[in-house]
């Protein structure tokens, strides 16, 4: 009986493995301004950001590619109408997002909190 129970527990853990390994950027994030942004999968190792609240609700904020908490891609600064080369890193419940233009001469960054 113990052997059957252990096999059942092991199979549950193995099936949950892919869910536990989900990319950390996926989820809803709160900007310092209070605006909510959601990153979701939109291809192999590709994540699309969408504004969930506020003036730009429903607009894309860009795409990131990567895994393991480190991402690169494009960041749209909607209030400026500009697109930056961006990067993001996830550490716990904090998403550090930055974007640069002119080969990295002008950069902006902010920290978002997982909701």
């Amino acid at each position: 009986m113990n052997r059957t129970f252990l096999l059942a527990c092991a199979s549950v853990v193995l099936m949950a493995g892919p869910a536990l390994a989900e990319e950390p950027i996926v989820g809803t994030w709160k900007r310092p301004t209070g605006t909510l942004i959601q990153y979701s999968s939109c291809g192999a190792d590709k994540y699309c950001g969408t504004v969930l609240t506020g003036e730009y609700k429903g607009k894309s904020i860009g795409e990131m590619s990567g895994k393991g908490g480190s991402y690169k891609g494009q960041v749209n600064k909607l209030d400026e109408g500009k697109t930056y080369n961006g990067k993001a890193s996830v550490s716990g419940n904090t998403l550090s997002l930055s974007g640069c233009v002119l080969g990295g001469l002008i950069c902006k960054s902010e920290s978002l909190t997982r909701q």
Side-chain angles (χ1 to χ4, degrees), residues 31 33 56 60-62 74-84 99 101 108-110:
R31 293 183 62 208
T33 61
Y56 300 103
S60 169
I61 59 152
Q74 301 290 313
V75 178
N76 300 325
K77 186 80 165 89
L78 298 172
D79 60 339
E80 295 177 357
K82 294 182 180 179
T83 300
Y84 295 88
V101 293
K108 294 186 179 185
S109 63
E110 67 182 26

Side-chain angles (χ1 to χ4, degrees), residues 84-111:
Y84 295 88
N85 290 321
K87 62 182 180 177
S89 62
V90 178
S91 178
N93 289 324
T94 302
L95 169 64
S96 298
L97 184 64
S98 64
C100 299
V101 293
L102 301 174
L105 293 176
I106 302 173
C107 298
K108 294 186 179 185
S109 63
E110 67 182 26
S111 293

Side-chain angles (χ1 to χ4, degrees), residues 21-33:
E22 185 174 277
E23 294 295 335
I25 199 169
V26 172
T28 301
W29 301 89
K30 186 176 184 179
R31 293 183 62 208
T33 61

